[in-house]
Amino acid sequence: MTLGLIGIAVSLILLIVLAYRGHSVLVVAPVAALVAALFSGAPLLATYTQVFMPALAGFLSTFFPLFLTGAILGKLMSDSGYAEDLATWISDRLGPKHALLVTVLATALLTYGGISAWVIVFTMFPVATFLFRQANIPRRLMPAAIALGIFTFATAALPGSPQIHNAIPTRFFGTDTFAAPGLALVCAVLVFGLGMWWLSMRQRQLAAAGEAYADPTDIERRDSAAGRPSSGSVTPLTLDAAPEAPRRVTTAQGLIGLLPILVVVAVNALLTYVVIPAMDTSYLSEEKYGGVTVAQVASIWSVAAAMLAAIVVIFLLRPRRARTYVDGLSDGAKNSVLPVFTTASEVAYGAVIAALAAFALIRDGIFDVSDNPIVTTALSTAGIAGVTGSASGGLTISLNTFGEQLLSQAAAQGIDPEVLHRVAAMASISFDSMPHNGAIITLLLVTGLTHRESYKDIFVVTVLVPLVGLLAAVGLGVTVGAF
């Protein structure tokens, strides 16, 4: 048993180190899983074909529709210019002096509209660059501002968010994406407020220290010392140079850019509370439909259909560009493949670990901490998300392993499953933002900054601040319940 625990530790270290060094999880996850199996004495080939692959396929079969529709919607929002229109319109109304607030709000709106984080990063970067130059805010704060809008409250705290992190718990707890709306809103406001407070404080600190937008980044200094053109994403500019402003966006254009997001939210709510409950879904109990209940699939249906409706709206708004948008359908579909397979590989890795005999000790240790399923949900999800460096992967692994037991405990103690849903979703966005997190690495690459320059602020707004929100969710869930 001791050797098995050592194997799990070694495999985790291997997963973290190789992922941090940029190696694909598609390769790293099965290798790390087989290392753990080797230490435990489990048969390697059977572990790969009978445990790893079925878990990977199970995640794909359940959640691929969300990745697919989300990626296509994001591509069309980008190709149509609606995402940039929305971000620029908000910037025009609030002004560059509120650069941090504009960046966070714009990214949060795009996130709440179901658009992929990868698309949002590329969409927001030029807008944030203009705003930060105008306000003379050091570039090192840009990744944290974008990260606060994408990876925290809009992803897992706001009720109705179509992001995968808010959809996964519905499969296990029979809830919907609007679970515990009052508790969710309180925690969302708390995370947003604390995150903005930190960013504003850091802006004042850096300004007092004499830092400015035009200060060269680490990459620019390195390239300059080597006598070669800068390879960073941002070209060094002087403050005297006139910044190139984004094109002017009218109120009508801004509202049109907002329309697909409103469609996602409205259709999701309509299907969740009106359409699907009124449907005759008794056929789902048949074996050919999986023998499931409507509660297990309703949120997947409602979110996927909501994003599909937004895609149709984009086509209808500019029918003359339909041919261009058709190409966007294919490109968006291609864009969905890597994220969904990466997450599924992490989930499959967790399935292998959970199947090992040594994992029973870890599982029992987690449940020994507290007999309250709310606390256990928070601990298990946050811990596994941190280890894997993936919110959705950690959330799925945790609920696959503990979900049934947590739901049974909640029923025995009279705890509303909606509380478990909200706590699980918020726990997934805490420790996941470790340095080896793929989205964090991508964000730094796009903005041309390094971990040394920007990770401190990213860590505060995407780990420490969400942890405060998680503690509030746990506290309210234990004392007040769902509201």
Side-chain angles (χ1 to χ4, degrees):
M1 192 66 73
T2 300
L3 190 60
L5 290 173
I6 293 174
I8 292 175
V10 170
S11 74
L12 289 175
I13 293 171
L14 184 65
L15 178 68
I16 292 171
V17 171
L18 292 180
Y20 179 74
R21 293 177 67 86
H23 297 286
S24 173
V25 173
L26 294 178
V27 176
V28 172
V31 170
L34 293 179
V35 167
L38 181 64
F39 274 78
S40 295
L44 298 186
L45 292 178
T47 296
Y48 180 71
T49 62
Q50 305 307 120
V51 180
F52 186 93
M53 288 307 300
L56 183 148
F59 183 87
L60 289 177
S61 67
T62 300
F63 296 110
F64 182 66
L66 302 189
F67 281 86
L68 178 63
T69 53
I72 291 175
L73 175 59
K75 178 63 177 173
L76 294 183
M77 283 288 287
S78 178
D79 288 351
S80 64
Y82 292 149
E84 184 179 352
D85 284 351
L86 178 59
T88 306
W89 177 59
I90 295 173
S91 168
D92 289 343
R93 295 303 171 270
L94 296 181
K97 67 178 181 178
H98 298 295
L100 291 172
L101 178 61
V102 170
T103 301
V104 174
L105 287 179
T107 53
L109 269 175
L110 294 173
T111 301
Y112 193 57
I115 300 174
S116 166
W118 318 95
V119 175
I120 298 173
V121 169
F122 285 100
T123 299
M124 282 304 305
F125 174 61
V127 177
T129 297
F130 172 77
L131 292 170
F132 274 55
R133 284 195 65 196
Q134 286 285 78
N136 196 24
I137 299 174
R139 283 177 275 170
R140 67 161 69 197
L141 288 181
M142 190 184 299
I146 294 174
L148 177 61
I150 298 178
F151 303 129
T152 61
F153 64 95
T155 291
L158 286 179
S161 173
Q163 295 292 337
I164 189 70
H165 317 73
N166 192 38
I168 289 173
T170 66
R171 182 78 176 179
F172 298 90
F173 298 137
T175 51
D176 57 59
T177 55
F178 293 87
L183 185 153
L185 284 173
V186 169
C187 295
V189 170
L190 178 62
V191 172
F192 170 73
L194 286 176
M196 285 304 308
W197 170 79
W198 174 264
L199 291 175
S200 300
M201 182 195 68
R202 285 286 290 156
Q203 179 185 359
R204 293 192 297 271
Q205 284 182 344
L206 295 178
E211 291 195 32
Y213 175 88
D215 293 341
T217 65
D218 284 351
I219 295 175
E220 292 165 355
R221 292 191 188 95
R222 181 196 65 198
D223 291 340
S224 177
R228 59 176 179 264
S230 175
S231 60
S233 292
V234 183
T235 303
L237 297 167
T238 64
L239 292 178
D240 294 332
E244 181 181 351
R247 59 188 175 83
R248 185 73 180 176
V249 175
T250 65
T251 297
Q253 289 174 312
L255 292 176
I256 290 174
L258 180 63
L259 182 59
I261 294 175
L262 296 178
V263 168
V264 171
V265 177
V267 173
N268 185 14
L270 183 65
L271 288 170
T272 298
Y273 293 115
V274 179
V275 177
I276 293 178
M279 294 169 57
D280 178 10
T281 56
S282 58
Y283 58 86
L284 289 174
S285 61
E286 298 176 22
E287 185 178 350
K288 65 179 178 180
Y289 295 114
V292 298
T293 64
V294 68
Q296 293 175 283
V297 296
S299 289
I300 305 297
W301 290 358
S302 61
V303 173
M307 289 193 281
L308 181 60
I311 291 169
V312 172
V313 166
I314 291 176
F315 271 84
L316 294 177
L317 287 172
R318 291 180 182 171
R320 293 183 179 180
R321 299 195 62 182
R323 184 169 298 178
T324 301
Y325 292 160
V326 168
D327 293 335
L329 294 178
S330 297
D331 292 338
K334 294 175 185 176
N335 293 341
S336 71
V337 173
L338 183 59
V340 71
F341 268 91
T342 297
T343 305
S345 293
E346 291 170 335
V347 170
Y349 166 81
V352 171
I353 299 300
L356 300 177
F359 185 77
L361 295 177
I362 300 174
R363 180 194 61 211
D364 294 342
I366 291 174
F367 277 91
D368 285 343
V369 172
S370 173
D371 60 357
N372 189 302
I374 297 175
V375 176
T376 305
T377 298
L379 290 175
S380 61
T381 304
I384 297 174
V387 168
T388 60
S390 169
S392 54
L395 180 59
T396 306
I397 293 169
S398 173
L399 296 185
N400 271 331
T401 307
F402 307 116
E404 187 174 344
Q405 188 171 350
L406 291 169
L407 191 58
S408 297
Q409 286 186 341
Q413 298 177 28
I415 295 174
D416 193 327
E418 292 196 7
V419 176
L420 297 186
H421 173 125
R422 191 55 55 199
V423 168
M426 293 194 63
S428 73
I429 58 159
S430 54
F431 284 117
D432 69 300
S433 298
M434 292 290 104
H436 61 287
N437 178 288
I440 298 299
I441 293 171
T442 299
L443 176 59
L444 291 172
L445 286 173
V446 171
T447 55
L449 293 155
T450 64
H451 281 81
R452 189 188 72 85
E453 292 171 300
S454 297
Y455 186 70
K456 169 186 174 181
D457 296 302
I458 293 174
F459 179 80
V460 171
V461 301
T462 64
V463 177
L464 296 185
V465 168
L467 278 175
V468 174
L470 175 60
L471 290 175
V474 170
L476 289 171
V478 170
T479 58
V480 179
F483 62 95

